[in-house]
């Protein structure tokens, strides 16, 4: 994929040196800084299909996919065409537009638990708003989240969070008031008894927020029956169940994880794919519940750019394409083969790994223990992951620069691209097994 005569580091290194003087850590989102794997981040100039090209002209097969939304691949021709037309009509109105109604109809049609939806601008905004809604309608204060799950950088949610917090090995973030953090309770993922015990100890729980398939400590699926237990416990104790489907929505199935596992939450948060790669978020639930949001009800939430015509355009093109169930069948087959053959390559090289996968989300953990929660994920050998990451990068494969992030396959990842990835993985595993 790459041209050996090109020095792929010079321009990225120069830009990073400039960036660290201007941006905290040289980046606008922590994981991008490569702190979890070492080295200098690559600055991306363009992306198309299943690949990205950096400022030094080196092209990579991409499994980050802008952290999930590029399910159709980068720069999909139809998305670009519709966006180009939308640009000529204006970028933001600060007033209602027809596209908002159309994308709401698409979401309501697809997601089992949603009858009404509010558009916002990010996943963080969606989860913050969902929690406010839950507290507002229940009159309760406390929130339960799960160790290693990341739901954005809202104050209530940076307690034992995953994603970049886990990657950088940070404690719970300074700047979060102790009194506020005290209202966030944490339990291990996949441990129904720990959740039941928390309910026994705290009668004032407003909501439980969960990634039904965790993506922010790497891909960690729920154990059989676990989500059903979570649903039963929240219903029994009068707490609302929030599914954070910012990553899984329209990714693991058209109706998200709640369709895949046949569990209906009270509130669902969405993001990533519903903007087709542009900044977006949403939260929704039953009409009765959502009617509590202003101006229909007393719980206030607003956003000048919410429902902006560019994000709505890209999202509509994407969601309408995802009506085709055969796309999910292709994604399932491609990702299953990739995961299976990467595992085989690791075994052949004598490198201990465990690969978790749900649909087109996957993570290879450098451990020999089954990964079911944050405790088991944290046992992964981050140093070996860093070596593997750079070995793959040198061969033109771009993985997440962190052991604790999910990878994603798009419809643009052809059989030939999967073959090249597996061949790169064999060489990478062999190179690190000799170190």
């Amino acid at each position: 994929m790459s041209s050996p005569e090109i020095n792929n580091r010079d321009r990225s290194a120069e830009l990073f040196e400039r960036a660290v003087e201007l941006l905290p850590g040289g980046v606008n989102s922590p994981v991008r800084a490569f702190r979890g794997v070492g080295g200098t981040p690559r600055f991306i100039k363009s992306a198309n299909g299943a690949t990205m090209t950096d400022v030094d002209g080196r092209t990579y097969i991409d499994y980050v996919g802008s952290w999930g939304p590029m399910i159709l691949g980068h720069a999909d021709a139809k998305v670009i065409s519709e966006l180009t037309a939308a640009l000529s009509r204006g970028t933001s109105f600060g007033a209602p537009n027809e596209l908002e109604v159309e994308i709401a109809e698409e979401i309501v049609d697809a997601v089992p638990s949603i009858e009404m939806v509010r558009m916002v601008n990010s996943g963080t905004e969606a989860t913050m708003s969902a929690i406010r809604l839950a507290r507002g309608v229940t009159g309760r204060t406390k929130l339960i989240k799960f160790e290693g799950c990341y739901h954005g950088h809202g104050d209530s949610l940076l307690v034992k969070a995953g994603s970049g917090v886990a990657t950088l090995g940070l404690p719970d973030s300074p700047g979060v008031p102790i009194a506020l953090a005290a209202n966030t309770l944490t339990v291990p993922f996949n441990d129904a008894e720990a959740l039941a015990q928390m309910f026994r100890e705290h009668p004032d729980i407003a909501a439980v927020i969960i990634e039904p398939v965790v993506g922010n400590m790497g891909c960690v699926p729920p154990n059989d029956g676990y989500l059903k237990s979570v649903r039963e416990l929240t219903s029994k104790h009068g707490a609302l169940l929030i599914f954070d489907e910012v990553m899984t929505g329209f990714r693991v199935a058209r109706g998200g994880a709640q369709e895949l596992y046949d569990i209906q939450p009270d509130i669902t948060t969405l993001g990533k794919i519903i903007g087709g790669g542009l900044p977006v978020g949403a939260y929704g639930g039953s009409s009765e519940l959502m009617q509590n949001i202003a101006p229909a009800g007393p719980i206030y939430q607003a956003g000048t750019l919410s429902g902006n015509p560019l994000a709505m355009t890209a999202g509509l093109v994407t969601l309408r394409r995802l009506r085709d169930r055969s796309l999910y069948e292709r994604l399932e087959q491609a990702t299953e083969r990739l995961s299976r053959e990467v595992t085989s390559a690791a075994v052949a090289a004598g490198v201990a790994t465990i690969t978790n996968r749900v649909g087109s989300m996957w993570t290879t953990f450098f451990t020999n223990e089954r990964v079911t929660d944050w405790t088991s994920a944290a046992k992964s050998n981050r140093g070996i992951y860093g070596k593997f990451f750079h070995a793959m990068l040198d061969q033109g494969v771009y993985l997440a620069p962190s052991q604790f992030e999910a990878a994603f396959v798009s419809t643009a990842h052809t059989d030939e691209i999967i073959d090249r990835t597996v061949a790169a993985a064999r060489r990478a595993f062999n190179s690190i097994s000799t170190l």
Side-chain angles (χ1 to χ4, degrees), residues 38-91:
T40 301
R42 307 298 164 86
F43 281 65
I44 303 303
K45 183 177 182 179
S46 64
N48 186 270
T51 66
M52 300 192 301
T53 301
D54 69 18
V55 291
D56 295 293
R58 183 168 181 175
T59 297
Y60 309 89
I61 299 171
D62 176 31
Y63 287 99
V64 174
S66 193
W67 306 101
M70 314 314 298
I71 194 167
L72 302 178
H74 294 284
D76 175 79
K78 180 67 172 174
V79 172
I80 296 300
S81 174
E82 293 294 329
L83 270 176
T84 301
L87 277 167
S88 68
R89 297 190 291 269
T91 58

Side-chain angles (χ1 to χ4, degrees), residues 29-32 63-64 67 150 162-167 211 214-220 247 272 361-365 374 385 399-408:
S29 192
V31 173
R32 301 176 192 175
Y63 287 99
V64 174
W67 306 101
Y150 178 74
S163 194
V165 179
T167 299
E211 292 179 86
V214 185
N216 288 292
M217 55 181 158
C219 179
V220 179
M247 194 172 287
K272 310 288 186 183
M361 292 174 57
W362 61 284
T363 299
T364 294
F365 294 92
W374 171 242
Y385 178 82
L399 300 172
S402 166
Q403 172 68 101
F404 305 116
E405 298 283 0
F408 303 91

Side-chain angles (χ1 to χ4, degrees), residues 108-321:
V108 168
D109 180 69
V111 183
S113 67
I114 296 181
E115 297 175 343
M116 187 173 286
V117 65
R118 167 62 62 86
M119 303 303 301
V120 293
N121 295 291
S122 70
T124 291
E125 192 178 346
T127 56
M128 289 168 59
S129 302
I131 291 165
R132 181 181 301 161
L133 173 59
R135 285 173 167 156
V137 298
T138 63
R140 299 177 181 178
T141 302
K142 286 189 169 62
L143 171 74
I144 294 179
K145 69 176 292 290
F146 296 83
E147 296 170 5
C149 288
Y150 178 74
H151 305 286
H153 58 85
D155 283 353
S156 297
L157 298 166
L158 285 179
V159 179
K160 295 187 179 179
S163 194
V165 179
T167 299
L168 299 175
L170 297 176
D172 299 336
S173 180
V176 178
I178 293 174
L180 183 57
N183 287 321
T184 301
L185 311 170
T186 60
V187 295
F189 187 74
N190 270 327
D191 188 338
E193 178 51 36
L195 180 61
Q197 180 63 31
M198 194 66 75
F199 272 113
R200 287 192 289 268
E201 294 174 1
H202 298 273
D204 57 341
I205 294 168
V208 172
I209 185 167
I210 188 171
E211 292 179 86
V213 176
V214 185
N216 288 292
M217 55 181 158
C219 179
V220 179
N223 291 339
D224 290 345
Y226 176 66
L227 293 177
K228 181 180 179 182
S229 296
V230 174
R231 175 68 281 183
E232 290 173 349
L233 283 165
T234 51
S235 297
K236 175 182 176 181
H237 292 278
L240 298 188
L241 176 58
I242 304 171
F243 267 17
D244 180 349
E245 297 230 41
V246 167
M247 194 172 287
T248 56
F250 291 92
R251 166 56 75 174
V252 298
R254 181 170 179 256
Q258 59 194 266
E259 175 191 314
L260 190 64
Y261 295 103
D262 192 25
I263 303 290
Q264 290 206 18
D266 298 295
I267 307 173
T268 300
T269 63
L270 299 168
K272 310 288 186 183
I273 288 171
I274 67 166
L278 274 68
V280 75
Y283 62 105
S286 69
S287 297
E288 179 183 7
L289 188 62
M290 293 300 292
Q291 289 284 1
N292 288 283
I293 299 295
I299 299 172
Y300 195 76
Q301 180 268 314
T304 299
L305 295 176
S306 297
N308 80 84
L310 300 185
M312 298 299 94
T313 295
L316 266 175
V317 174
T318 302
L319 298 192
R320 284 171 175 166
R321 288 269 289 284

Side-chain angles (χ1 to χ4, degrees), residues 349-425:
V351 178
T353 66
I354 295 290
T355 296
N356 284 353
R357 181 187 70 85
V358 177
S360 55
M361 292 174 57
W362 61 284
T363 299
T364 294
F365 294 92
F366 282 74
T367 178
N368 56 8
E369 296 183 24
R370 184 167 171 256
V371 177
T372 59
D373 56 14
W374 171 242
T375 298
S376 51
K379 293 178 181 178
S380 300
N381 191 317
R382 306 176 202 195
I384 294 180
Y385 178 82
K387 291 180 173 63
F388 179 75
F389 169 86
H390 281 287
M392 292 292 277
L393 195 66
D394 288 344
Q395 295 177 84
V397 179
Y398 193 94
L399 300 172
S402 166
Q403 172 68 101
F404 305 116
E405 298 283 0
F408 303 91
V409 173
S410 77
T411 60
H413 285 79
T414 62
D415 287 343
E416 185 265 341
I417 285 175
I418 298 293
D419 288 341
R420 294 204 333 245
T421 304
V422 171

Side-chain angles (χ1 to χ4, degrees), residues 92-96 304:
S92 179
F93 306 138
T304 299

